[in-house]
Amino acid sequence: MQKKNEHKTICSYCGVGCGILVEQDSKGNISVEGDPDYPVNKGMLCSKGKNLNYVAQDTSDRILYPEMRWSRNHPLQRVSWDTAFDRAAAVFKSIIEKHGPDSVGFYVSGQCLTEEYYLVNKLTKGFIGTNNIDTNSRLCMSSAVVGYKKMLGEDSVPISYEDIELSDCFLIAGANPAWCHPILFRRIENHKEKNPDVKIIVVDPRKTQTCAAADLHLQILPGTDVILFNAMARWLIEKKKIDRNFIKKHTVNFDAVKESAFQLSLKKAAELCGVSVEDIKKAAMYIGNAKAFISMWTMGLNQSVIGVSKNVSLMNLSLLTGQIGKPGAGPFSLTGQPNAMGGREVGGMASLLAAHRELGNPKHRKEVTDFWGGKEIKSEPGYTATEMFDALESGKMKAVWIICTNPIVSMPNVHKAERALKNASFVVVQDISHNSESTKFADLLLPAAGWLEKDGTMTNSERRISYLPKVIGAPGEALPDAEILWKFAQKMGYHGFDYKNTSEVYDEHCLLTKGTEIDITGLSHERLKREGSFQWPVPHATHMGTPRLFTDYQFFTNDKKSHFNAPASLYNKSEITTPEYPLILNTGRVRDQWHTRTKTGKVKRLLTHIPDPYLEMNKVDAYLRKLKDGDIAVIKSRRGTVRVKVKVNFDIREKVVFLPMHWGKVLNNDFGRANNLTNDLVDPVSKEPDFKYCAVEVAKY
Ligand code: SF4
C-alpha cells in the first residue's frame, strides 16, 4: 500500500522508463527506490536512477529567475517574468513580421513531457505558422521512425518488455544496453540465466559489457551493418529458414529484399564486415531456429548517413522469419531519452504531424488545422535539428528557442552550432541548470521546473504512458515548461492557450488522437493516476491498453501488409579514411553519465565509475603511435581537435577509436568534447546525423 508521503513516478533518464517511489520526510528530504509494482523494473533501478534524489535536492546549479540582456555586449541581468514574456513576444513578433514565420524556430528535447511537446508543436505549426520545431530526438531515433513507417506503415514499436521473457533469441546491434539501458538488460540476463538455451548475438565494433552475456559477438567494421544483415537474410533464404506462409499472406516486396541480399556472397560480405563466414552463418542459424526472435538496436544503427538502410535491413530479418505480432518476437528500437516516444506521438518534429498524421497529406493537415483553429499548417517540413543550426549560421533563421537540451555539447560538428548561436539575432534558452553550456549563448534565459517539480506524462520505449506527479516546489521563480509555453502563446495574442493545468492540455492531445492508430481517448491524467500506466492504443475508458501490436497481422500500411524494404545503401561511405585521418571514431555513452551531464555530473557517486572523458584505443594502434594507457592524446578530425587520456585495450577493433559523448569543454579548452570532431552529414531521409563514423588521427600530446 502506498504511504502518505510516497509518490509514484518515472525515472527521468533513459527510455527504459523505470517506476520510482519517491518519499519525502518531515524535513523535506527526498529518498527514492524502485517501484516493486511497476511492470517495467519490478523494483530494480540502475545507478543513475538510484541517485536521482541527489539531483532533485541539489539546487546549487539551478537557474532561479529569468535573466535577459539587451545586447551581446551586456551581461545577463535578472528580470521579472512579465518583462521576459514581453521581450520574447515583442522580438518574435518583430522578426516574424520582418522575415516571415520560417525565420524563427524551436529546438526541444526528448526529456520534455508530452504536454510540453504538444504545446510547443501546436504553438509553432498551428499559430506561428512554421514547421520549424525539431528536437534532439532527431539525433537519436529519427532513422528508426522512418524504418518503422516504411516497414509497418507507422512509427510503431510492435512489442513490450514482457516479450523479453518469451523470446529465445536476441540480436542486439549497435547498442550497449548493459550500460545504457541497464534494467532492460538485467531482464535479458535474468531470462538467459534461467534459460541457458536462449541465444544472444551482439553486433558492435567494440567488445562492450553487453558482450559478457553474448553467445556470439560479431565485431564488425564500422558502417558495415547492412552488409551483415543482408548476408544473414541471404543465408536464411538459401537454407529455407524463412516463414513462407507469413511472407505470402502478410508482406510485399520480398523479391526486392532477396535481390539485395544476393548481391554479395557470404564470403564477400564477411570480408567487408571484417568477421568470419562461420560467425555470420551461426548468427543466421540462431535466428532461423528461434521460436521467438527479438532484434534490439540504438544509436549504432540510427546515427548514420545510412541509418534508414540499417534499420530496414535489420527489420527485414523479422519479416523474413515471420517474427512479429506474436509473443516474444519483433523489432524493438530502444529509446535513449525518457520521452522520445511521447514527442513522436504528438508530432513534435519538423517532419511529423500530430498523432502519426502525415504532414504531406492535405486531409491530415486540415484535420489538425481545424482542431487547433489557428493558421493553416504548411505542407513542407520545417528545418530539422542540423538544418536549424545551418539556417541560424547562414542568417535564414533569426531566432531560436531552445528547451531542455544542450546543443553546444550534443550537436555534431559542434563548432558550427556555436557559430550559429553567435550569429542568431535572438536566442532563448529554457532550462533548469546553469551547467548547460548552451545557457552562455542566451539573450533570454528562462528558469524551468525540473523532475518532481511539475506534472505530466511520458511514453517509454514500449509505448507505455505514465503520469509523473508534482512532488516538490520548484526553486526560485522557476515555472513548469508547459506554463512558460502557454503564457508565451497568450502574450503573442494566440487564442486556444488559456489552460489552467496540464491535465487540460493532455485531454486535448488525447482527443486529437481519436480514430488514429494511436488512439488514447481512453486516457486522462485522472485515469493514469488511479489505474497506473497503459500502452497505447487505449481507445476507450475501459480499454486496458495494448501490449503487443499486429497480433492480427493487420499492419498500419494502406494495404495492411508489412513491407519489405531493400536498403538504399550497403555501407557507410560518408568519410573516407586517408593516411592523414586513418582511424574511424565512434562516440557513445558510459554507464553512469547521461547526455551532457547537467544532472549526473553533479552526483559524486556517479563520478566514481568514470570521472573523466577518455579515448578507447586498440593496443596495436596505440603502439604504432607510441601511446601508453593514461597518456594524453590529441584526436584530430577534419572539423576540430580534442584532448583526452587514452585507455588502451584489445576490446576495440584496430583502426577504430571510441570517445564518450557526455563531456563539454572542460577548463575552457577542447578537452573532451567529442562533437568537436564529429560530422554533421545526415541520412537523406531521416536527417539523423552521422555521429558514429568520423575519420580521425590520434597523436601523443
Ligand atoms: Fe532510469 Fe534507465 Fe536506469 Fe531505469 S534503466 S533507472 S529508466 S536510467
Side-chain angles (χ1 to χ4, degrees):
M1 189 156 120
Q2 204 170 329
K3 292 185 236 161
K4 197 166 161 243
N5 290 326
E6 194 173 74
H7 305 265
K8 282 173 179 281
T9 191
I10 303 298
C11 177
S12 69
Y13 292 121
C14 84
V16 175
C18 295
I20 291 184
L21 292 176
V22 179
E23 199 175 345
Q24 196 174 19
D25 68 17
S26 54
K27 291 185 184 142
N29 294 323
I30 286 166
S31 58
V32 298
E33 60 180 315
D35 181 350
D37 299 326
Y38 197 67
V40 168
N41 52 316
K42 299 172 181 140
M44 295 185 284
L45 288 179
C46 77
S47 50
K48 295 186 285 287
K50 274 182 193 159
N51 287 291
L52 265 168
N53 53 324
Y54 295 107
V55 177
Q57 288 179 126
D58 176 2
T59 55
S60 59
D61 62 314
R62 294 293 297 272
I63 304 166
L64 297 176
Y65 38 77
E67 294 177 50
M68 196 173 88
R69 58 179 160 199
W70 289 101
S71 85
R72 293 280 161 88
N73 302 326
H74 292 95
L76 287 164
Q77 286 186 326
R78 179 176 182 170
V79 293
S80 69
W81 271 109
D82 273 345
T83 306
F85 283 128
D86 282 344
R87 173 95 190 282
V91 175
F92 265 65
K93 278 182 190 169
S94 145
I95 291 175
I96 291 166
E97 205 177 293
K98 222 165 158 183
H99 304 284
D102 290 332
S103 61
V104 302
F106 287 76
Y107 183 56
V108 306
S109 162
Q111 294 172 72
C112 290
L113 300 176
T114 301
E115 293 75 0
E116 297 154 8
Y117 249 127
Y118 177 83
L119 284 171
V120 70
N121 195 40
K122 173 178 172 179
L123 166 68
T124 314
K125 290 182 182 145
F127 287 82
I128 293 177
T130 176
N131 291 332
N132 291 343
I133 150 73
D134 217 48
T135 151
N136 59 16
S137 300
R138 178 75 58 188
L139 315 181
C140 169
M141 297 309 294
S142 51
S143 296
V145 171
V146 176
Y148 282 128
K149 282 168 100 168
K150 279 177 173 281
M151 310 287 289
L152 309 176
E154 285 192 15
D155 172 19
S156 333
V157 175
I159 64 175
S160 292
Y161 298 146
E162 69 180 35
D163 283 302
I164 289 171
E165 286 82 15
L166 302 173
S167 181
D168 62 349
C169 181
F170 298 85
L171 171 59
I172 302 172
N176 181 13
W179 275 18
C180 307
H181 299 85
I183 297 306
L184 173 134
F185 192 66
R186 290 296 93 79
R187 286 181 66 159
I188 298 174
E189 281 183 319
N190 290 344
H191 177 50
K192 180 154 171 86
E193 250 171 58
K194 288 184 198 145
N195 305 278
D197 290 340
V198 164
K199 300 294 182 211
I200 300 176
I201 308 155
V202 176
V203 177
D204 198 314
R206 292 190 301 143
K207 188 176 175 189
T208 64
Q209 195 63 35
T210 301
C211 299
D215 295 276
L216 178 63
H217 174 204
L218 292 157
Q219 197 164 10
I220 60 167
L221 285 162
T224 62
D225 316 65
V226 176
I227 298 172
L228 179 72
F229 303 144
N230 263 8
M232 291 180 190
R234 178 177 180 142
W235 188 90
L236 289 166
I237 295 167
E238 279 181 342
K239 298 294 172 195
K240 301 195 172 28
K241 291 281 187 183
I242 57 175
D243 186 337
R244 289 216 162 268
N245 191 36
F246 174 84
I247 293 169
K248 194 169 163 209
K249 280 195 184 152
H250 305 299
T251 72
V252 296
N253 289 342
F254 169 72
D255 287 342
V257 165
K258 187 177 173 188
E259 193 182 321
S260 176
F262 278 69
Q263 279 177 85
L264 299 175
S265 67
L266 252 54
K267 188 165 171 282
K268 184 69 187 167
E271 194 184 305
L272 290 168
C273 294
V275 296
S276 72
V277 172
E278 288 318 306
D279 280 351
I280 295 179
K281 284 183 185 170
K282 194 189 275 185
M285 188 182 66
Y286 286 161
I287 294 168
N289 289 345
K291 290 190 188 75
F293 158 60
I294 290 178
S295 61
M296 286 178 173
W297 71 100
T298 60
M299 301 310 124
L301 302 198
N302 293 339
Q303 292 179 332
S304 168
V305 286
I306 59 162
V308 173
S309 289
K310 290 185 183 186
N311 269 265
V312 297
S313 59
L314 179 65
M315 288 191 222
N316 282 337
L317 299 178
S318 297
L319 300 194
L320 281 172
T321 48
Q323 295 280 10
I324 190 165
K326 61 180 206 178
F332 197 177
S333 56
L334 305 179
T335 48
Q337 298 194 81
N339 198 32
M341 290 280 280
R344 285 145 64 179
E345 286 148 30
V346 303
M349 292 175 89
S351 47
L352 304 178
L353 197 54
H356 288 191
R357 289 177 178 86
E358 294 289 335
L359 206 51
N361 182 324
K363 181 172 165 281
H364 288 182
R365 285 200 306 280
K366 184 168 182 328
E367 279 168 8
V368 182
T369 301
D370 290 351
F371 185 88
W372 284 338
K375 290 194 171 131
E376 192 177 326
I377 295 170
K378 290 184 174 173
S379 58
E380 309 78 36
Y383 292 131
T384 59
T386 53
E387 290 169 348
M388 210 175 264
F389 285 84
D390 287 344
L392 287 165
E393 191 189 18
S394 69
K396 283 188 197 153
M397 245 178 84
K398 307 286 177 195
V400 65
W401 192 311
I402 298 166
I403 303 176
C404 194
T405 186
N406 187 6
I408 289 304
V409 179
S410 56
M411 287 298 286
N413 189 9
V414 73
H415 292 306
K416 183 187 264 190
E418 283 180 337
R419 289 195 300 273
L421 292 191
K422 275 184 195 150
N423 193 48
S425 307
F426 192 58
V427 177
V428 183
V429 176
Q430 180 174 319
D431 209 306
I432 62 168
S433 173
H434 283 290
N435 289 344
S436 163
E437 285 81 349
S438 301
T439 58
K440 318 291 179 293
F441 292 80
D443 298 293
L444 181 61
L445 186 58
L446 301 177
W451 185 70
L452 301 184
E453 297 165 359
K454 58 182 182 177
D455 79 332
T457 56
M458 294 200 301
T459 310
N460 74 357
S461 291
E462 54 161 3
R463 292 176 284 105
R464 180 177 298 280
I465 299 170
S466 303
Y467 174 75
L468 291 84
K470 177 179 172 178
V471 176
I472 54 176
E477 296 177 9
L479 289 178
D481 295 271
E483 195 174 329
I484 297 172
L485 286 165
W486 76 54
K487 283 186 169 160
F488 170 70
Q490 289 167 7
K491 199 59 103 176
M492 291 290 285
Y494 302 143
H495 61 86
F497 288 89
D498 50 348
Y499 303 98
K500 288 191 278 304
N501 50 51
T502 54
S503 171
E504 291 182 352
V505 181
Y506 192 66
D507 288 345
E508 192 178 301
H509 159 54
C510 293
L511 200 55
L512 193 47
T513 67
K514 193 174 180 56
T516 68
E517 303 290 5
I518 67 162
D519 192 329
I520 50 165
T521 41
L523 290 182
S524 62
H525 278 193
E526 275 318 305
R527 187 171 181 208
L528 289 163
K529 279 187 229 177
R530 199 176 56 238
E531 297 179 44
S533 60
F534 290 87
Q535 287 169 280
W536 62 254
V538 192
H540 55 78
T542 54
H543 193 284
M544 296 311 291
T546 314
R548 193 173 299 122
L549 297 176
F550 312 126
T551 49
D552 55 359
Y553 297 131
Q554 295 296 293
F555 294 91
F556 294 156
T557 49
N558 288 338
D559 58 11
K560 300 290 172 201
K561 309 252 190 195
S562 54
H563 288 202
F564 279 109
N565 268 264
S569 306
L570 283 187
Y571 48 91
N572 191 330
K573 296 179 194 160
S574 54
E575 197 156 69
I576 310 293
T577 52
T578 60
E580 198 183 352
Y581 300 105
L583 308 170
I584 292 295
L585 173 76
N586 188 0
T587 62
R589 292 180 170 179
V590 300
R591 194 191 69 191
D592 285 358
Q593 294 300 324
W594 199 74
H595 274 201
T596 63
R597 300 173 68 252
T598 45
K599 288 191 286 190
T600 48
K602 62 182 191 175
V603 182
K604 281 194 185 120
R605 281 188 195 174
L606 296 179
L607 290 170
T608 55
H609 178 229
I610 294 175
D612 298 308
Y614 64 93
L615 182 81
E616 187 177 0
M617 185 174 212
N618 187 284
K619 277 190 177 171
V620 174
D621 292 320
Y623 175 80
L624 291 172
R625 290 163 179 78
K626 298 186 172 46
L627 280 160
K628 301 188 301 302
D629 204 62
D631 282 349
I632 304 262
V634 185
I635 314 154
K636 191 174 156 212
S637 80
R638 292 177 176 93
R639 289 153 294 279
T641 58
V642 166
R643 274 178 293 155
V644 282
K645 279 188 182 167
V646 290
K647 197 179 267 185
V648 172
N649 60 37
F650 284 120
D651 291 340
I652 190 161
R653 277 198 77 117
E654 281 178 50
K655 297 205 161 63
V656 182
V657 289
F658 172 83
L659 187 60
M661 48 72 83
H662 306 288
W663 278 268
K665 283 186 180 181
V666 182
L667 304 174
N668 208 23
N669 59 28
D670 277 357
F671 192 83
R673 189 171 63 168
N675 285 315
N676 290 350
L677 305 165
T678 51
N679 204 332
D680 57 347
L681 290 174
V682 295
D683 180 285
V685 185
S686 72
K687 305 290 174 82
E688 181 154 350
D690 200 35
F691 284 105
K692 305 290 191 197
Y693 201 91
C694 152
V696 297
E697 177 56 299
V698 178
K700 197 163 182 170
Y701 178 60

